[in-house]
Amino acid sequence: MYDVVIIGAGAVGCAAAMALGRYDLNVCVLEKNSDVCEGTTKANSAIVHAGFDAKPGSLKAKFNVLGSNMMKELSEKLDFAYKQNGAMVLCFDENDKPGLEELKEKADKNGVKGVSIISGDEARKLEPALSDSVCAALLAETSAIVCPFEMTLAFAENAFANGVEFKLSTQVLSIDKLDEGFEIRTNNTNVKTRCIINAAGLYADKIHSMVSSKPMKITPRRGEYMLMDKSAGTLVSRTIFQLPTKMGKGILVTPTVHGNLLAGPTAENIDDKENVATTKSGLDDVKSKGLLSVKNIPFNKVITSFTGLRAVGDTGDFIIGHSDVRGFIDAAGIESPGLTSAPAIGQYLAELVGEILPLQKKTSYIDTRKGIAHFNSLSAEEQNELIKQQPAYGKIVCRCETVTEGEILDAINRPLGATTLDGVKRRTRAGMGRCQAGFCSPTTMALLAQKLGIAIEEVRKTGRYAENGGQDNE
């Protein structure tokens, strides 16, 4: 019997696994997909929010600020991309300036430092590409950007290094309450545990209803994005927001940690928890609203568009805490600023487990992790030395992002390694460049096929493999 089973390997589930890895506990993560961060975590704005927007006193405010303050040190210890680039919230009408004052007041109450209100001219001096109609802006110096894939994979790999078990391609079908703990039935096996953390994202309400009679509803909120080539990445240096509405923070324009330019998301509540299609109307909305903030956004340099689904709860806040069934803990409705909040939520979930089970810290806890060596970020001397040690780093597979065979092999062979093209892409960026995998896919597929022992035509872009080596689309 496990001490703790975490359902869901997104940012929050992996952060909880990392936090629990500090203790002498038998912990397992169940994930229905074939890889970490294949749900909400894989498609979002990648912003480390400063914390000026959340309602004071809410869980969103609490964990946003705590998570933001943790992120820089975590990125250094766990080796994932992070950049404190700052943010602006734009005001286009003098009559709306009280909205900026409200945000500033929230920031002060939430304990966010480095927040001020500046004039339109001051904003354009800092960001010359801003629209001429900007009359004022909130400047937040502690806002940052991150790579959500690298961050979540870093959490997962650190948890794995500290003894946490991951069962991927394992979908929860039902949960039975036992006299002591729970029995979880999955598509692969049955698992017993003393405690459950429900971090199932869009499906957290479904998991919750397997145990609790207390109702919970999670609504998918579709957000569409447009990602531009790196040649557009310097148009703005900060994350540019518009004054938020009840549906969210509006269309933003931001650089990414890897040098691209991102615009989005839209905000549309839908019923289908698997509908990640982009729409003409949604992308047109991204274009028109993006241009309100920033002049001359080069939408002719868009290299891909994508949709993310945010898990919106029915309380207006994160749903985190003990349920009405002892031993079952919810971490649900983790919409924005969920990515920022994840490490702090993970620590809090570990504390909640401590109210059920005794926690004793490990004496051998590993608090660092080394990520994949990104060849294009190394100096010429470092590149040459790496090639001498491992010749596979001398073969470029992805020309757009300068990703080598050595990096792809590392992505496949490391703990919780990639088994699909998208898994390799998230770990190495092979396929994320201008040609969108048109050049590198055949070589990547061949490397995956060799590792998995399957025919090259059986290699999947995403999803899981059936146990017999075939494909499983469920």
Side-chain angles (χ1 to χ4, degrees):
M1 176 178 279
Y2 291 103
D3 294 310
V4 185
V5 165
I6 300 165
I7 301 174
V12 170
C14 290
M18 179 176 67
L20 288 167
R22 291 182 175 272
Y23 303 99
D24 284 320
L25 295 171
N26 192 9
V27 181
C28 179
V29 179
L30 304 181
E31 169 56 50
K32 71 173 184 174
N33 293 304
S34 64
D35 200 1
V36 168
C37 69
E38 281 205 353
T40 296
T41 302
K42 75 178 179 184
N44 55 63
S45 305
I47 307 301
V48 179
H49 293 284
F52 53 75
D53 184 51
K55 180 181 177 181
S58 66
L59 293 179
K60 287 183 179 181
K62 174 184 175 180
F63 292 120
N64 183 348
V65 176
L66 288 172
S68 177
N69 291 339
M70 295 168 68
M71 201 67 73
K72 185 176 187 296
E73 181 180 359
L74 280 171
S75 72
E76 292 168 350
K77 286 188 172 183
L78 300 179
D79 196 20
F80 60 85
Y82 165 91
K83 181 180 180 181
Q84 188 174 313
N85 66 320
M88 285 186 186
V89 182
L90 305 184
C91 176
F92 305 99
D93 188 325
E94 294 285 342
N95 294 323
D96 292 332
K97 281 186 177 180
L100 293 183
E101 296 287 352
E102 272 187 43
L103 289 179
K104 175 65 167 62
E105 185 178 345
K106 285 182 180 179
D108 292 341
K109 289 181 177 178
N110 292 341
V112 182
K113 306 298 183 184
V115 176
S116 58
I117 295 176
I118 59 177
S119 69
D121 288 339
E122 289 172 320
R124 277 182 289 273
K125 187 175 181 180
L126 294 172
E127 295 287 351
L130 292 185
S131 166
D132 294 336
S133 60
V134 175
C135 63
L138 183 88
L139 177 64
E141 297 174 0
T142 61
S143 182
I145 49 180
V146 72
C147 177
F149 322 130
E150 288 184 19
M151 184 195 83
T152 306
L153 285 162
F155 292 172
E157 289 182 6
N158 177 257
F160 185 88
N162 284 292
V164 175
E165 183 178 348
F166 283 74
K167 292 182 182 292
L168 304 175
S169 299
T170 301
Q171 184 172 2
V172 173
L173 303 177
S174 64
I175 303 173
D176 293 323
K177 183 73 177 75
L178 306 176
D179 290 339
E180 181 186 354
F182 305 86
E183 183 169 13
I184 303 171
R185 186 169 67 87
T186 79
N187 59 312
N188 293 327
T189 186
N190 289 358
V191 174
K192 291 184 178 180
T193 180
R194 293 180 174 83
C195 182
I196 293 174
I197 292 176
N198 172 22
L202 290 163
Y203 291 91
D205 53 353
K206 181 178 179 180
I207 299 298
H208 175 89
S209 68
M210 292 179 183
V211 175
S212 173
S213 59
K214 186 177 179 181
M216 175 192 291
K217 181 173 175 56
I218 300 296
T219 300
R221 180 168 293 166
R222 178 164 60 188
E224 300 182 49
Y225 293 87
M226 303 179 82
L227 183 72
M228 281 149 272
D229 186 68
K230 289 184 177 180
S231 60
T234 58
L235 184 64
V236 293
S237 61
R238 294 167 180 80
T239 299
I240 308 301
F241 294 104
Q242 298 165 356
L243 268 173
T245 69
K246 64 180 181 180
M247 292 298 287
K249 298 178 176 66
I251 299 299
L252 61 83
V253 181
T254 185
T256 71
V257 288
H258 297 293
N260 298 85
L261 187 71
L262 180 69
T266 55
E268 176 191 5
N269 288 349
I270 61 175
D271 295 323
D272 187 352
K273 297 187 179 188
E274 298 294 331
N275 184 357
V276 291
T278 55
T279 64
K280 183 181 184 303
S281 60
L283 297 180
D284 286 345
D285 197 35
V286 172
K287 288 181 180 179
S288 61
K289 290 182 178 177
L291 289 168
L292 292 175
S293 298
V294 180
K295 295 181 292 187
N296 302 319
I297 298 175
F299 286 113
N300 61 328
K301 293 184 178 181
V302 169
I303 58 175
T304 190
S305 302
F306 62 92
T307 292
L309 297 177
R310 286 157 277 178
V312 181
D314 53 3
T315 66
D317 200 0
F318 295 156
I319 305 168
I320 304 173
H322 297 291
S323 73
D324 54 339
V325 178
R326 180 172 172 77
F328 188 88
I329 299 169
D330 283 310
I334 313 296
E335 55 175 321
S336 179
L339 192 74
T340 311
S341 304
I345 292 173
Q347 285 193 354
Y348 180 65
L349 291 170
E351 293 172 11
L352 293 180
V353 169
E355 296 175 4
I356 302 169
L357 303 174
L359 297 184
Q360 182 164 344
K361 286 190 175 181
K362 292 175 179 173
T363 56
S364 58
Y365 177 72
I366 301 167
D367 67 350
T368 59
R369 167 258 189 191
K370 182 63 179 172
I372 294 171
H374 294 296
F375 188 79
N376 67 348
S377 67
L378 303 177
S379 67
E381 289 182 358
E382 290 171 327
Q383 289 177 346
N384 289 332
E385 184 60 32
L386 190 57
I387 292 169
K388 285 180 183 178
Q389 295 173 8
Q390 300 181 58
Y393 282 91
K395 181 180 179 181
I396 302 297
V397 175
C398 174
R399 293 178 178 178
C400 297
E401 295 289 328
T402 319
V403 179
T404 66
E405 183 177 297
E407 292 163 81
I408 294 173
L409 288 172
D410 188 1
I412 295 171
N413 293 322
R414 71 196 288 115
L416 303 177
T419 60
T420 63
L421 282 171
D422 279 357
V424 170
K425 179 170 71 172
R426 283 191 288 269
R427 288 163 174 81
T428 68
R429 294 189 57 78
M432 285 193 177
R434 184 176 296 181
C435 85
Q436 287 291 288
F439 179 80
C440 60
S441 286
T443 301
T444 304
M445 290 171 69
L447 294 171
L448 280 165
Q450 183 178 14
K451 171 65 177 179
L452 298 173
I454 60 177
I456 192 168
E457 61 268 22
E458 293 179 335
V459 172
R460 296 184 63 88
K461 180 180 184 296
T462 190
R464 63 189 185 220
Y465 299 90
E467 290 184 9
N468 62 4
Q471 297 184 3
D472 183 355
N473 293 309
E474 291 301 318

